[in-house]
Amino acid sequence: MIDIYLNGEIQKFEAPITLSEILERLRIPLSAMAIAVNREIVPRSEFPLFKIKEGDQIEVVKAVGGG
């Protein structure tokens, strides 16, 4: 098991795990979302291969339009 921080809250997952697998398990929709790991934006194309490690901080940010 590894502990990660998802939007500031600790979550536990079996290792090894990728960013895509975490998002699927948590049922996080990807439309209009940006994902940062340790304050670095991860391109959507890298989600399937991006390995999450103990203590990583994942932030899910929803894009909001308006003026």
Side-chain angles (χ1 to χ4, degrees), residues 5-8 19 23 28-42 44 47 57-65:
Y5 295 88
L6 179 65
N7 289 349
L19 186 52
L23 299 174
I28 295 175
L30 296 180
S31 58
M33 295 284 185
I35 310 293
V37 177
N38 302 323
R39 300 182 184 217
E40 297 282 331
I41 296 292
V42 178
R44 230 174 262 232
F47 289 5
Q57 296 181 17
I58 301 171
E59 296 292 328
V60 179
V61 182
K62 182 173 177 120
V64 178

Side-chain angles (χ1 to χ4, degrees), residues 17 26 32 40 48-49 53 60 65:
I17 192 162
L26 296 175
E40 297 282 331
L49 299 176
K53 301 176 293 305
V60 179

